[in-house]
Amino acid sequence: MVLPEEQPRTYHSVISHLEVKLPDNPMRYSALPNVNPEEKGIWAGSGINADNVAMTATETITSNVRVLGADPLVVYTPAQNGESEKPGGIGEEDIVVLVLPYIHSAREGVMRLGSLLEEYGTYEMNGIAFSDQDEVWFWKASAAITGLPAVCRTITIPLSQTALSKTPLISMTL
């Protein structure tokens, strides 16, 4: 369990060396972290916050060279030959910690992640799911997304339309 007072106000990514200023109002949340955070970062694969919003950020996906040619990944570049290091974007290591403590619904999770990806990009491709009592959203980030509008392929599944109610699922592309 991560309490609000334990949540950093500046997040430091171990893999991409990125620093992200965080809001001052985090909620309590659970996280399933990496076994060795010093080596690879917190790597919280999933969690649930105090507003009962859940997320997972551990689905690794792939893309193709045409997509990555148009929007390349934002990869960490170490300092070399007198040049400063260049931080990478956010990735699986970072997503739960940067998003889950600050959202009150699955839809807010999509919006917060979208704004973070728009600003920082990503160094890898991921599938991320958000759920609350009313909806489930699935986000597929298959390119860096930096500077692009914060929309990606998502599937919204109102809980009233899940397999439990035997109603077909509705998918939408934004």
Side-chain angles (χ1 to χ4, degrees):
M1 186 65 61
V2 181
L3 300 174
E5 57 272 15
E6 296 169 348
Q7 179 74 356
R9 295 309 184 260
T10 301
Y11 177 79
H12 303 276
S13 173
V14 173
I15 293 175
S16 68
H17 295 224
L18 181 68
E19 288 191 4
V20 178
K21 297 277 186 205
L22 297 173
D24 288 328
N25 59 342
M27 284 183 278
R28 181 185 76 243
Y29 68 103
S30 65
L32 299 172
N34 184 25
V35 176
N36 188 352
E38 289 76 32
E39 184 179 311
K40 291 192 175 185
I42 296 169
W43 214 286
S46 62
I48 301 173
N49 72 20
D51 274 357
N52 211 25
V53 179
M55 71 178 289
T56 180
T58 58
E59 181 186 3
T60 303
I61 61 173
T62 188
S63 192
N64 66 54
V65 290
R66 289 176 48 195
V67 170
L68 293 174
D71 192 17
L73 298 173
V74 181
V75 180
Y76 167 69
T77 306
Q80 58 187 358
N81 302 326
E83 301 250 348
S84 300
E85 78 173 5
K86 180 183 168 218
I90 64 173
E92 188 176 323
E93 166 202 359
D94 319 301
I95 295 172
V96 170
V97 175
L98 294 174
V99 176
L100 189 57
Y102 308 101
I103 60 174
H104 303 280
S105 69
R107 191 174 298 251
E108 280 186 26
V110 171
M111 299 305 291
R112 176 153 174 81
L113 179 59
S115 67
L116 289 164
L117 289 172
E118 194 172 26
E119 184 171 351
Y120 301 107
T122 184
Y123 61 81
E124 63 186 356
M125 296 158 280
N126 294 99
I128 300 104
F130 300 93
S131 66
D132 60 33
Q133 67 179 3
D134 297 317
E135 296 182 309
V136 175
W137 285 74
F138 181 76
W139 176 293
K140 184 176 181 182
S142 55
I145 308 172
T146 307
L148 297 178
V151 291
C152 264
R153 279 189 269 171
T154 59
I155 299 172
T156 307
I157 307 167
L159 293 183
S160 63
Q161 296 178 347
T162 64
L164 297 174
S165 68
K166 300 184 187 223
T167 305
L169 301 178
I170 298 173
S171 72
M172 56 191 288
T173 301
L174 298 176

